[in-house]
Amino acid sequence: MLQGFGSRTITAIGLIVVAAIAVFLLAGDLQPALVTLVGGIAAALVATGTGDGPIELPRPVPAAAALAPPETQDVIEAIVEPVLIVAEGRVTHANAVALGLLGKHIVGEDVRVAIRHPGAAERLAGPSTGSLQGPTNLVGLGALDQHWEMHVSRAGGGQRIVQLVDRTGNYAAERMRVDFVANASHELRTPLASILGYIETLGDEKAGEDAQVRGRFLKIMFDEARRMQRLVEDLISLSRIEAEKYRLPDRAVDVSALIGEVRSELLDAQDTRSADIVADLDLGVPPVAGDRAQLSQVLHNLIGNAMKYGRAGTPVTVRLWRDPAGMVRISVTDEGEGIAPEHIPRLTERFYRVDPGRSRAAGGTGLGLAIVKHIIERHRGRFDVTSTVGKGTTVTILLPAHGQTGAVIKR
């Protein structure tokens, strides 16, 4: 079959076959071996013809398994969470995130010193085993309120890979959920218990037959039922606002006209303090990009709070103007007892009250400012509270004008 070819050509083909077999053994794949074999024979025949000229063996086609692996440091740097490589109890590699969390000195340190936490020391002190172990929870690593999960896995050569996963956000969300359920349950349970108690009392023949007692009890029951209704309505409203949080409102809303409508609605409600509302509206203020119903809810909540907590007979001032930056500003000012500085950062927390007894007596649900905050965030605006104890409180909201770019304000 090979007659007519020189001895060097035959030798070259034999060596090419050997090279193809070697590629197959290294790669574990037949395709690169076949490419090496066919390509090599073709190249040998073209190069040597039928003579005995010089032979150049072709280079084998590199297979994926035969390529040199990337450097360990390059691999762990691509991971966005803190990762350490440990060998013989010492840190040999650490990515930039780990160095930022634990310190740049940790490479070469004992891993129990690098991760200064009792839970980590206990887990890493033991020998490396092949058995699967769950994550170790580390609280306070980096900061007092940070929660981490430490995962340890075995690698080749007796090395161990230590990965830290930040679970702080998960714990915070879970704590908020638990607090929210507990607060909502308490807010509903209190009026419900009152209603059930009065119903039981009215079931008594003597109390039920007294018209005056019956009328007083029915009024209390009605007020408590209305309180539960307001709370449920606010919870539903807050849920809807959060569901629409990432859908930007884009309709033009005339804020000046909206303030007039809200004021008229409060006057029609015949509240004793509705006559104290004073409107100071600049001319030529452009419309804002917003959701009219939600902005009306904001004004009702802010003006309603000012009426509840301002002193009787003092003005509740509603201002509207456009600032030099082009933002539309609305402020509501009351002349009341004011709010101490330590309470201001927490005013928008759900169910937080400066004076719980007074708030409940005034019919508050503890959700009004939380609703305002979420609505303003949806409108890419800003919400500020300033207060002086003994003088009063001013709440200011900033909203982008309709069509204005760069509406998101950094706090």
Side-chain angles (χ1 to χ4, degrees), residues 42-61:
L45 293 176
V46 171
T48 63
T50 59
D52 290 333
I55 299 174
E56 292 185 7
L57 293 178
R59 295 182 180 180
V61 177

Side-chain angles (χ1 to χ4, degrees), residues 25 39 52 71 97 158 206 208 218 250 268 276 317 324 347 353:
L25 293 175
D52 290 333
E71 293 293 333
V97 187
K206 294 182 179 179
L218 287 174
D250 57 359
D268 293 340
D276 296 330
T317 305
L347 289 177
R353 294 181 173 95

Side-chain angles (χ1 to χ4, degrees), residues 368-382:
L369 290 182
I371 290 173
V372 169
K373 174 191 172 185
H374 281 79
I375 291 176
I376 299 304
E377 286 181 347
R378 185 197 170 203
H379 285 69
R380 298 302 185 263
R382 180 171 173 172

Side-chain angles (χ1 to χ4, degrees), residues 16 52 67 106 114 148-149 181 237 245 271 315 324 330 378 409:
I16 290 166
D52 290 333
L67 295 177
I106 63 172
W148 297 86
E149 277 185 0
V181 172
S237 177
K245 185 174 182 179
D271 189 288
I330 308 165
R378 185 197 170 203
I409 300 176

